[in-house]
Every structure is written in structure tokens, then in C-alpha cells.
Amino acid sequence: MAEKKIKTIGVLTSGGDAPGMNAAIRAVVRRGLSNGLNVKGILKGYNGLLNEEIIDMSAKDVSDTIERGGTVLYTARCAEFRTEEGQKRGAEICKKHGIDGLVVIGGDGSFAGAQKLANLGVNTIGLPGTIDLDIACTEYTIGFDTAVNTAMEAIDKVRDTSTSHERCSIIEVMGRGAGYLALWCGIANGAEDVLIPEKYDYDEQKLINNIIESRKKGKKHHIIINAEGIGHSEAMAKRIEAATGIETRATILGHMQRGGSPTCKDRVYASMMGALAVDLLIAGKTCRVVGYRHGEFVDFDINEALAMQKGISDYQWEVCQSLSHNYDKNNK
């Protein structure tokens, strides 16, 4: 519990940007102000903290931001903050500016930084902001819903042209270590094959056999959703075309998945999480992560949250495969 009443809170976004971060920032600012707190925005994540790029924020500063993608506070990577010296300097800067509560919006790396600040006496609350849905303590992360809908709509468009030309299309979505975007798009877009880092066996011949079998059955196109963590989509397309004789194209969706106006879900859930973060600080809580589980917004100890493991279940994967064109449960 905090020994003194919180008077000033700060908010920053760190790591990769995600649609809905602005909704969370707006909620932190307005919830804080409505409770009589001073609110400071820290620009460019931990990098901006160390450079003292800190501004006072009013309710007007977050007007007309909820519908915008990206983050109005900007974000940056910060190698220095991974060092003990950088973390101590960050805590000193917070104290210098009177910041006795800090809301950090980002992923696991951002939470690790928040954990260090909490250990150095700065009350910190983490909000899960990542399009990868890879934070174990929560069923929802800010930005995933928008990103997966952006990818789904783009894949629908690629399918149209792929069908017209009777092509095989490899569409690469983001997700270096987590295949949630690829899995969801695989189901939502009716892909013939889905490649994710958690489950891929690197058996390219099986992929080639699937494409040939589909063509024999009269299928006019073949959609492969490939997660960024597997990558090499261009080279894979060339190998598949050489092996099958079927024109094959790679489309890498890239950073378009990070941008765009957030969906209603990302706006509402991010707002609820931002408000809860402020409430937790007012209650004297520190070293917590806000999450969403079983229909409720909840909070976890950061240490506990970082120790949790998250993976794609065998059932989710089996369902994804069973809905594809060639899958036979008894003859994989």
C-alpha cells in the first residue's frame, strides 16, 4: 500500500504502438483529473522519461483522440532503460517531477520496466497494449481487435484477386513469437493453410501436397496465412511455384496492421482499463497489471503476470485445421 496519497500521475506508451492506446491515455487523463489528480504525459516511452520529455495534460489535450490510431504520446524503444543505472535514473526523474503514480501502456517488455520502477518506489500500473494478444494474464490486449480486423479485410481483398488469377497466395501477418493474428485470420478468412510459430513443423512438402490436392479437387485459389515469426514469404512463394507449377504470390501486410482507427471494442475496453489503472493508483496499489478475464476487468501482480505462460491450445489449432479445405483428423 502507498504510504502517502497520490497527487500526480504520469502515463506513457512503450514498445510497439497499438490501436486503442489513445483511448487508454484519454481515460487515464480524464479519470485522473476527475479525481482531483494532476496528470502528466511522458512522450516517447521510457526514452522520453530519461530525456525528461514530460508535459502537463488537460482534458482538452485528449479531445478528439479516441478515434485515432497510433499513440499521441509517441513511443520508442529504449536500450538504456534495460540497465540498472537507467532504471534508477528513471525513478529519480519521476520523483523530481512529482510523479508518484505511473501508468505504463505496452507489452511484456514495458511491464518489466514498470516492475523495476515499482521496486524503486514509483507506484506503477501496467496496461496490456499489443496487437499480438500474447500477454498471458489477460484474454484481451489493446489493439488486437483492430489489427485482426484490418488483416482480415486485407486478406479478403487478396483472395478476390487470387481467385481471378487462380493463384496460390501467401499472406504474411504480424506476430514474431505469437500466432494469434494468423490463427484468427486463418479461421475468419477460410484459409487453406495457416503457419504459426507455436505449431509449424517446417514440412514444406506437406504444404505443397495440400496445394496440389486442392487444385485436383477444383479449388481455384489457395490461401496460406503465414505468421511473421516464420516469415520468408517471398522465398517460400518461389519454392511453391517451382514445385507445383501454380503461380504463387507473397503479400506482406506489415505495419498497416498497427494503424487505423480502433474498433469499438478497442475503444471501450482500453477506456475501461485506463480508468481502472487510475482507480488502482488512488487505492494505493502498485506493481499491478490490468487484465480482462471471464467478462471482468481485473488486476494481477506484475511478477505473477510476467511469470505466466500463454500458448495456443491444441483444441484451437485442431479446429483451425479442421475448417481448412483438405484436413482429415484421422490422416494428418
Side-chain angles (χ1 to χ4, degrees), residues 148-163:
V148 79
N149 276 286
T150 297
M152 180 190 73
E153 289 167 12
I155 293 163
D156 281 344
K157 291 175 171 66
V158 175
R159 179 189 287 281
D160 290 344
T161 186
S162 185
T163 304

Side-chain angles (χ1 to χ4, degrees), residues 59-81:
K60 188 172 182 294
D61 291 328
V62 291
S63 291
D64 302 323
T65 60
I66 197 167
E67 76 280 5
R68 290 165 58 184
T71 162
V72 294
L73 292 178
Y74 306 102
T75 184
R77 310 287 180 182
C78 185
E80 188 183 347
F81 204 77

Side-chain angles (χ1 to χ4, degrees), residues 11 41-49 53-55 72-74:
V11 56
I42 299 164
L43 305 178
K44 303 172 193 171
Y46 292 123
N47 199 55
L49 175 62
E53 296 182 63
I54 300 169
I55 58 172
V72 294
L73 292 178
Y74 306 102

Side-chain angles (χ1 to χ4, degrees), residues 6-155:
I6 295 274
K7 293 179 181 175
T8 300
I9 62 172
V11 56
L12 63 82
T13 50
S14 175
D17 62 323
M21 280 184 165
N22 287 329
I25 294 164
R26 174 178 175 272
V28 169
V29 171
R30 293 196 168 178
R31 186 73 164 181
L33 293 172
S34 70
N35 279 280
L37 303 177
N38 300 313
V39 185
K40 293 180 182 284
I42 299 164
L43 305 178
K44 303 172 193 171
Y46 292 123
N47 199 55
L49 175 62
L50 296 181
N51 292 327
E52 296 190 57
E53 296 182 63
I54 300 169
I55 58 172
D56 291 315
M57 297 198 78
S58 68
K60 188 172 182 294
D61 291 328
V62 291
S63 291
D64 302 323
T65 60
I66 197 167
E67 76 280 5
R68 290 165 58 184
T71 162
V72 294
L73 292 178
Y74 306 102
T75 184
R77 310 287 180 182
C78 185
E80 188 183 347
F81 204 77
R82 295 193 189 103
T83 68
E84 190 177 338
E85 183 185 336
Q87 292 152 8
K88 285 180 179 174
R89 199 155 71 80
E92 285 164 10
I93 289 166
C94 283
K95 287 163 190 171
K96 174 183 171 182
H97 288 265
I99 296 170
D100 36 31
L102 183 65
V103 179
V104 174
I105 309 167
D108 281 342
S110 305
F111 292 169
Q115 178 189 42
K116 301 298 183 186
L117 286 176
N119 292 339
L120 292 166
V122 181
N123 295 333
T124 55
I125 306 293
L127 297 189
T130 168
I131 66 169
D132 290 329
L133 196 66
D134 60 347
I135 296 175
C137 68
T138 181
E139 297 166 9
Y140 164 85
T141 61
I142 296 166
F144 175 77
D145 191 61
T146 306
V148 79
N149 276 286
T150 297
M152 180 190 73
E153 289 167 12
I155 293 163

